Amino acid sequence: VMSKKEKKETRRVSSLGIRMPEGLKSVGEAPGWEVLKMAVDSGASESVVSDEMLTRVTTVEGDAMKKGVQYEVADGTLIPNLCDKMFIAVSDNGVARQMRAQVCEVNKALLSVHRVVQAGNRVVFAASGSYVQDEHTGETMALEEKGGMYMLKLWVKAQGFSGPEETR
C-alpha cells in the first residue's frame, strides 16, 4: 500500500505529451538547469515571470508587448508587458511541458490557473493534497503549500525555443 506522500509524488501534469529520456533521473544534478517556483494564482489572467528569472531562456517580442499590453497589480499599479519567454519546463519526476510566460516587473513567478485550465487541465486545492491534473490523460503534478500559497516547482534548461507558429 502506497503512503499519501508516495501517491503525491507520482502525480504529474500532462498538458503536452513530451517525455524526458529514460536516463534523466534528476535534472537538479545536471548543469545548466534553473529552478522556477511558480505561485499558482487563480487571480492572474496570465502566467508571468520577471526579466531576472530564466535568464538563459530566449525572450521573444510577443503580440502583447507589440500591442502595448499592461497588467494591473493588486494595488492598481499598471506594469507593461516586456516580452515573452517560451520554454520547456520539467517536473521533479522528469515530465516535460512546453510553457509560455509573459515578462513584466514582478517579484515572484505566477502560474495563471486560467491559462492552465485553458490548456486542458484542472487545478485542485484540497487539504488531502493539491495538484494540477490533465483532463485527457489523468496525469497529475502535486502542488506544495508554503505559507498559504500553492507552489509548482519546475526545472528549466538554458534554451532557445522555436514554437509551433515559428516552424510552420
Side-chain angles (χ1 to χ4, degrees):
V1 175
M2 293 176 70
S3 71
K4 186 183 276 190
K5 183 179 179 187
E6 288 171 322
K7 285 180 184 176
K8 264 180 108 171
E9 290 173 357
T10 62
R11 296 180 180 146
R12 41 178 200 233
V13 168
S14 180
S15 61
L16 296 177
I18 302 169
R19 301 264 179 197
M20 294 304 289
E22 281 289 317
L24 183 60
K25 296 296 182 205
S26 173
V27 295
E29 297 170 5
W33 290 85
E34 183 175 350
V35 175
L36 178 64
K37 293 182 179 178
M38 300 188 83
V40 180
D41 190 338
S42 62
S45 56
E46 294 286 350
S47 294
V48 296
V49 295
S50 75
D51 201 31
E52 293 81 34
M53 298 170 191
L54 305 177
T55 56
R56 293 175 287 175
V57 171
T58 303
T59 58
V60 294
E61 291 184 4
D63 287 339
M65 184 196 131
K66 291 175 187 173
K67 292 176 181 175
V69 169
Q70 295 183 317
Y71 304 107
E72 185 175 357
V73 296
D75 70 359
T77 302
L78 295 176
I79 55 174
N81 177 295
L82 302 174
C83 56
D84 290 4
K85 287 192 187 252
M86 297 187 298
F87 52 95
I88 303 295
V90 183
S91 67
D92 274 338
N93 58 358
V95 178
R97 298 294 171 255
Q98 177 181 322
M99 295 186 71
R100 175 190 299 248
Q102 305 302 311
V103 177
C104 51
E105 292 181 20
V106 292
N107 60 3
K108 99 178 33 152
L110 301 177
L111 181 67
S112 167
V113 170
H114 171 72
R115 292 293 182 199
V116 171
V117 169
Q118 280 188 327
N121 301 284
R122 73 175 50 113
V123 182
V124 176
F125 300 105
S128 59
S130 299
Y131 54 92
V132 176
Q133 181 179 45
D134 183 294
E135 292 189 303
H136 302 290
T137 67
E139 294 178 312
T140 60
M141 176 181 275
L143 302 175
E144 184 179 349
E145 190 269 326
K146 282 200 167 192
M149 298 190 73
Y150 293 90
M151 307 296 292
L152 178 60
K153 178 182 170 189
L154 300 167
W155 294 89
V156 180
K157 189 171 175 80
Q159 61 197 261
F161 181 80
S162 179
E165 298 92 358
E166 298 170 46
T167 58
R168 287 184 192 152

